[in-house]
Each structure stands twice: as C-alpha cells, then as structure tokens.
Amino acid sequence: MTPLELLAPAKNLACGMAAVDHGADAVYIGAQRFGARVAAGNSVEDIRQLCDYAHPYGVRVYVTVNTIIYDEELEETEQLIRQLEEIGVDAILVQDMGVLRMDIPPIALHASTQTDNRTAGKVRWLRDLGFQRVVLARELSVSEIAAIHQEVPDMPLEVFVHGALCVSYSGLCYASQYCFGRSANRGACAQFCRMRFDLLDADGNELEHQRHLLSLKDMNLSDHLEELIEAGATSFKIEGRLKEVSYVKNVVAAYSQRLDAVIARHPDRYCRASQGHCTYSFTPNLNKTFNRGFTTYFLHGRQPDIFSPDTPKAMGEYVGYVKEIRRDSFNVAGTASFANGDGLCFINKERELEGFRVNRAEGNRLYPHEMPRHLHAGMALYRNNDQDFERQLSRQSGERKIPWVMRLRATDDGFALSADGVEVSITCEHQQAEKPQRENIIRQLSRLGGTPYECSRVEMPDDFRYFIPSSMLAELRRRLVEGAASAPRRCRLRPSEVPPSTPGGAAFTGQRYGLPYLYNIANHQARAFYEGQGLPDVTPAFETHRPKGDVLLMQCRHCLRYSLGCCVRNGGGRPQWKEPLFLRLGDGRRFRLDFDCKHCQMNVYAAD
C-alpha cells in the first residue's frame, strides 16, 4: 500500500500547528537563515515545538535549507543542520551541493525544486548522491512526471499542486539579482516577474503597454490528484510559506478532503502517510483565499490561459456582475451573499485592478465606503476578502484526532493497557469486582480530551471481572498517552556515507546553454563537489561573480509568442513584428526574449 503525503507550508509555528490540525501529513518550514523565503524564518526552538506537536500524528517536519551558501556561512549552516537533527526534524531541503561535503548527522536530504529537477537523468543523479526525495519542477506535465517515475521508480517524487507560480524554472532565475541586487537563490526575490512591462519588437514598436506579461496565475491541481498519483507522485506540495494562517487552514483542509476521496476509491492501494482524521467547523473553499485566478499550468501540456497580464494581485472568487448603479450604491446580479467589510474588486477599462470595501450590505445592494470611480454596469465583480469566511477561520476551525482501540488486560502483578502499538502497565493488586465495572472502565479510559487521541472502543477479555480504582485507570491512560507521544516517528533514511554518483552526471543543469554559472556554485565545498563530478568549467555563481556578455536571466516554459497567438509549433498566426522582442521596465531597462522552440522554452536575457 502506497502512503500519500499532503505537504503544507508554514510561515511560523502557528501556521505549522494549523496545518497539522487541518490534515497535513507533513509540514515544511524555514529556519532563521538559509531558507528560500528570507521573510519566513523561525527559531530552532519553534521548530522543535512544531516537531513535538506534529510527531504524535506521524506528521513529518521538513526544514528548508535551500539557498546557496557563501563560504563564511558554511560553518553556521553545518551547525544549524546538526541542531535540526537533534530536535527531531525529519528531513531538510537542499539546493547547495556543498552540503554533501559537510560533516552532518544522518538526516534525510530532499533535493529542492531549486536544483532544477525536470529530467529523469537529473533525478537519477540525485538519487545516486544519496537524496531521499526530489521536488520536481512545477512546469512538468503529468506524462513527464510518469516518464521520470518509470525510469527512476525507487526515487520518491514530490510535486507542487497549489499556489503561486514562478515564471522561471526555480533556481535558474537571476533577474532579481541582476536588477535589484536581491538573489532569488538567497531567498530575497524582488518579484521581477510581477512587474509591468512594455513589449517591443526589434524596430522599437510597442506591441503591449505596461502589462504584467510574466505574471502567472496560481496553480490549482485539486481536481487532478488521482492523475498525479497514477503518474508516480507521492507527495503533494502546497506553496505558501509567506501566507497567513487562514490560507493554510482553508487550503490544507480542501486538499486533505480531496486526497481522502481518492483513497476512499482505492482503499487497497493507497493510505495517508500520517494518522488521524480531521473535523472542520467550516466548508473549505479554495476560491475564498488568496489567488490570482487558477491554472493547471502544464499538467496536460501547454495551455493558452496561464498568465494574468492585467494584475499580479489577488482576484478572489467571481461573485456576479454589476447590474445597476446609483449615487452611493449598486446592486449585483448573482447568487453570492455579502457582508459588511467584504473586499471586492474589478478590472476597469484600462485593464487595471481596482478594489474597494463594502461599508454596508443589504442583500445584493452594496454601499461602498466610497463609490469606485470606474465602476460601470455590466462589469464582472470579484471578492478577494470574505468577512464571514475569515471570521470562521479566525476561530478554532479544525480538530484532528487519532482513533484508538484500547485494550485492557490483567498481568501477573497488575494491569496493562495498549493502543497504537504502545503498551504500558501498572503494578496493582487484583480485586474481584462486586458489581460490573465495564462501563466505568470505558468511561475513565475514554477521557482523552486535550490529547491527539480519541477512544473508538475499549476491549477487555470476556472474563475480566476486576475492580480497578479510577485513579489507577487515569494513571494507565496518562502513561499510554505519554508513551504514544514519545514513540519515534522520524525517518532516518540517509546513509552515513553518500554513494558515488555517476561520473559526469552533474552536467544536467546548465550544459545546454554553455553557461556554467547556472550550477550556482557559491562556496569552496560546492566547487570541490563539482570538480569531483568532472565539471570542466567550475564557474562561480551569478551572485558572487556577475557574468559578462550575453547574460541569461530566466528560463521560462511560459512563452509570450504562444500567448499572443503566434506559436510556430502549434499552428499560431504569422507574427506581424520583427524579432527579437524585448521587455521594457518602466525605468527603461530592456530584456531580450529568445524563443527556443526546439525545447519549447522562452529565455530572458539582459539587453541593457
């Protein structure tokens, strides 16, 4: 039976605990440094508390150590990994291959999506290096995932299923570093891809004016989990380590229910990777939390509607269209209900997002605090802040319990109680009961409130006729809960010695373009690692030595030629422009677009 893992993001301890409560099988969280979201750091003590909270459910905790590392940070990184292993972390996510040459304890290593994992060859190479899991590139289709699994069936595959999308293959975006001195490989992305650009042709003609041409919609594969499972994926990752706790609660609950539904259809083939069932005080709805509109991205190959050129901000759920406007109010044609304080938005005639707050709602008649100037009848209306829904999520909204079958039996010198593979005992004189004790025993042992457990039933031998004081029953129950909580849950899969990789196998990341800085070598340990792999040109990372000449900043599967209806591979119309095309920021800086049709890829180069 194959265990399936729902992997949730945690900005902080509260988000991590909420993820556990709402159905996650694993949580990924950043430490104070070296995680790919510099604004989402947590103390080792908070991560320890999360491990203590998660492990009784069999929920694993993974820590992101997936930035590139500078020489002066190597010792600190090694110390951090040692601390993480000591507190019970189940695995760390890694980008920098210098980690493989550190003196670290046997903790499981996962290859972050920052290592650009899009081919079977790369996945096989990482397996041979000793990685226990690979996080695949977001851009892969279900058929590409299946092909990787077929070629490397013994490597567990983690795939993204929900949340924000980077337009460049992860780990290979240098635009933020190039333009603003903020490295995406160091967790400080300035979100270059969410900015406005003009699109120019080779003659300087403006084809598009100030649009968000690189801003993608958010991924939503909630209706396609079974396809991914059949393809060989076993871990399903929700993006969002900068998101607040309400986002985590809603999205995790929604995907947990979807995953349970798949398992219910195939109970002999799949199971959850952790224990416990969840109950919710709300109905999960993915449309009600932050999203830029949804896309399945490349799940079934290239699709026309994957980007959001009008705005990089949250649109939310469609709630109807504006029917009639008065001086201080308007009404909405649709079935949605509204509340005072709701946040609504629309795309105006200038193709810009405008938002406003509802001051008072009387049915479908809405009174904004201030009437939006550009709102007109017939416009589509979206809600990006649902006050009633947010109020539900602000309270205790999920509870997770592990059902226990508790078994009580007599021993030679007392009694033993067991559940979930754990048994405890007490020394106690055997006293024959004068009247039936079963109901009292069941009542006392079932008092598991405030613990992760609930009693589904208590089993005793048919001839069990003993009197046990309530205090003794409470002591047995307490010891059983403590014993279950301390049972080991961590995976220790990484061998103490890393096996050698395939000679020359390192040449999967940047060889295609002859740009060795794509290996992101930022320290002497990483340099020695790649030298040992036979890399012919061990060039420093972009962040440490800015390359000269034709500088590749992004590799994107998103293609503007395709989006504008002029794809030469898919029967698009003949372009009316002269190439090369250029993106231009508002400050005048330009970036050349190169359309690599052989590999179905758009590359972004520095032009100025």
Side-chain angles (χ1 to χ4, degrees):
M1 189 173 290
T2 303
L4 304 177
E5 177 186 273
L6 178 61
L7 177 55
K11 176 181 181 180
N12 51 35
L13 175 60
C15 288
M17 294 171 70
V20 174
D21 291 342
H22 290 75
D25 300 296
V27 177
Y28 66 103
I29 188 170
Q32 285 180 322
R33 295 191 65 188
F34 312 121
R37 298 290 185 275
V38 73
N42 296 273
S43 68
V44 171
E45 172 58 24
D46 278 357
I47 297 172
R48 183 195 65 77
Q49 290 185 45
L50 179 57
C51 290
D52 291 345
Y53 189 81
H55 285 167
Y57 299 98
V59 173
R60 292 179 173 182
V61 176
Y62 308 141
V63 176
T64 57
V65 189
N66 59 340
T67 64
I68 59 173
I69 302 162
Y70 294 158
D71 271 317
E72 62 270 21
E73 298 167 335
L74 288 171
E75 183 177 351
E76 183 183 355
T77 305
E78 188 173 310
Q79 291 175 351
L80 172 64
I81 295 172
R82 288 185 171 279
Q83 289 178 309
L84 294 174
E85 194 276 338
E86 288 173 1
I87 65 173
V89 165
D90 298 292
I92 58 172
L93 283 83
V94 173
Q95 175 187 188
D96 196 309
M97 292 299 162
V99 172
L100 296 181
R101 293 179 55 85
M102 292 180 180
D103 181 19
I104 59 175
I107 189 170
L109 301 179
H110 294 178
S112 169
T113 190
Q114 299 294 118
T115 56
D116 183 30
N117 309 317
R118 47 176 144 160
T119 67
K122 184 66 174 286
V123 171
R124 185 183 302 109
W125 177 71
L126 290 164
R127 178 204 63 188
D128 292 344
L129 287 172
F131 284 92
Q132 267 65 64
R133 178 185 294 182
V134 167
V135 187
L136 293 179
R138 295 169 176 86
E139 291 82 357
L140 297 184
S141 68
V142 69
S143 60
E144 289 169 323
I145 293 168
I148 290 173
H149 175 65
Q150 288 168 8
E151 289 196 42
V152 199
D154 55 343
M155 173 57 88
L157 301 179
E158 180 179 308
V159 296
F160 285 88
V161 293
H162 196 90
L165 288 165
C166 301
V167 73
S168 176
Y169 282 97
S170 293
L172 302 180
C173 180
Y174 308 97
S176 179
Q177 174 69 30
Y178 178 83
C179 292
F180 311 109
R182 293 174 52 178
S183 169
N185 284 316
R186 298 274 294 167
C189 175
Q191 295 199 310
F192 173 87
C193 59
R194 304 296 180 188
M195 296 180 175
R196 285 191 178 99
F197 298 94
D198 300 322
L199 181 64
L200 310 176
D201 70 6
D203 294 327
N205 298 312
E206 190 174 271
L207 308 177
E208 296 284 344
H209 178 70
Q210 289 296 284
R211 303 195 74 197
H212 302 275
L213 297 172
L214 298 180
S215 182
L216 301 180
K217 293 182 178 180
D218 287 359
M219 179 182 278
N220 181 349
L221 303 184
S222 59
D223 291 333
H224 304 277
L225 295 181
E226 193 162 349
E227 292 177 67
L228 291 167
I229 293 167
E230 292 293 330
T234 54
S235 180
F236 308 95
K237 187 171 196 169
I238 298 166
E239 175 66 79
R241 276 200 301 121
L242 296 179
K243 295 294 192 292
E244 301 299 332
V245 69
S246 60
Y247 177 94
V248 172
K249 289 180 175 183
N250 183 37
V251 177
V252 170
Y255 274 86
S256 184
Q257 290 181 338
R258 299 292 181 96
L259 204 53
D260 283 343
V262 174
I263 292 171
R265 291 194 291 271
H266 307 283
D268 57 330
R269 297 177 60 190
Y270 308 118
C271 63
R272 293 295 291 267
S274 63
Q275 304 177 74
H277 65 89
C278 299
T279 55
Y280 310 112
S281 62
F282 69 104
T283 301
N285 186 337
L286 294 172
N287 292 315
K288 288 185 178 292
T289 44
F290 184 101
N291 69 83
R292 300 175 177 89
F294 288 129
T295 175
T296 58
Y297 206 26
F298 287 92
L299 185 73
H300 298 125
R302 189 172 290 283
Q303 304 295 318
D305 193 25
I306 67 172
F307 76 138
S308 178
D310 293 327
T311 178
K313 298 180 180 179
M315 293 284 290
E317 61 176 332
Y318 173 74
V319 291
Y321 67 90
V322 178
K323 187 176 182 180
E324 175 259 344
I325 296 180
R326 298 179 185 172
R327 179 182 59 83
D328 61 349
S329 66
F330 64 94
N331 63 1
V332 180
T335 59
S337 58
F338 300 93
N340 298 348
D342 277 356
L344 302 180
C345 61
F346 61 95
I347 299 292
N348 63 27
K349 291 184 177 180
E350 300 299 319
R351 295 195 300 193
E352 295 177 338
L353 185 73
E354 282 194 49
F356 60 94
R357 288 279 183 181
V358 175
N359 189 47
R360 187 171 83 254
E362 296 179 359
N364 276 21
R365 169 71 48 182
L366 306 182
Y367 294 81
H369 179 70
E370 183 176 337
M371 282 293 290
R373 286 195 312 152
H374 301 109
L375 189 68
H376 300 292
M379 283 184 165
L381 202 61
Y382 300 84
R383 174 164 49 197
N384 53 18
N385 190 298
D386 186 321
Q387 284 292 294
D388 282 344
F389 194 69
E390 290 297 322
R391 274 192 287 269
Q392 292 179 59
L393 293 176
S394 68
R395 302 187 288 265
Q396 178 66 33
S397 54
E399 184 177 50
R400 181 171 184 159
K401 293 292 183 181
I402 300 170
W404 265 1
V405 176
M406 306 174 77
R407 296 178 175 88
L408 181 66
R409 64 181 180 87
T411 62
D412 291 342
D413 59 353
F415 299 94
L417 182 65
S418 63
D420 196 24
V422 177
E423 183 173 273
V424 297
S425 61
I426 58 171
T427 300
C428 178
E429 182 183 354
H430 290 171
Q431 299 181 46
Q432 291 295 317
E434 297 180 359
K435 55 184 179 180
Q437 293 294 306
R438 284 181 175 268
E439 288 189 9
N440 180 62
I441 290 173
I442 292 171
R443 183 168 55 252
Q444 294 296 329
L445 294 180
S446 299
R447 290 178 175 174
L448 293 166
T451 75
Y453 314 104
E454 64 181 9
C455 180
S456 57
R457 68 178 186 275
V458 177
E459 295 181 351
M460 293 170 275
D462 292 339
D463 59 351
F464 197 92
R465 298 288 187 274
Y466 299 106
F467 168 75
I468 307 175
S470 294
S471 60
M472 291 287 188
L473 291 169
E475 178 65 13
L476 271 173
R477 185 187 67 232
R478 183 188 66 79
R479 291 186 185 182
L480 186 65
V481 170
E482 289 181 352
S486 62
R489 302 286 183 186
R490 277 189 292 171
C491 63
R492 288 178 172 267
L493 301 176
R494 180 173 179 260
S496 57
E497 293 185 3
V498 176
S501 68
T502 304
F508 290 124
T509 306
Q511 189 179 45
R512 177 187 299 169
Y513 296 99
L515 298 172
Y517 66 81
L518 299 181
Y519 288 89
N520 297 327
I521 300 169
N523 59 73
H524 75 273
Q525 293 283 37
R527 180 183 182 88
F529 168 83
Y530 279 111
E531 287 175 341
Q533 293 293 303
L535 186 67
D537 185 356
V538 185
T539 298
F542 190 105
E543 286 80 359
T544 59
H545 291 78
R546 185 161 169 167
K548 298 178 181 179
D550 215 15
V551 181
L552 176 64
L553 299 179
M554 283 182 167
Q555 298 180 37
C556 312
R557 206 163 192 180
H558 167 51
C559 176
L560 283 173
R561 185 193 274 172
Y562 176 86
S563 296
L564 296 174
C566 296
C567 175
V568 298
R569 294 185 61 178
N570 288 279
R574 184 178 179 83
Q576 299 301 307
W577 57 71
K578 181 180 178 182
E579 294 189 4
L581 300 184
F582 295 86
L583 295 173
R584 182 175 62 190
L585 280 173
D587 63 6
R589 282 181 288 183
R590 299 188 311 155
F591 306 88
R592 178 172 60 83
L593 302 181
D594 168 66
F595 299 101
D596 179 2
C597 297
K598 179 180 178 182
H599 299 106
C600 205
Q601 184 168 298
M602 180 179 76
N603 302 310
V604 181
Y605 286 85
D608 295 329

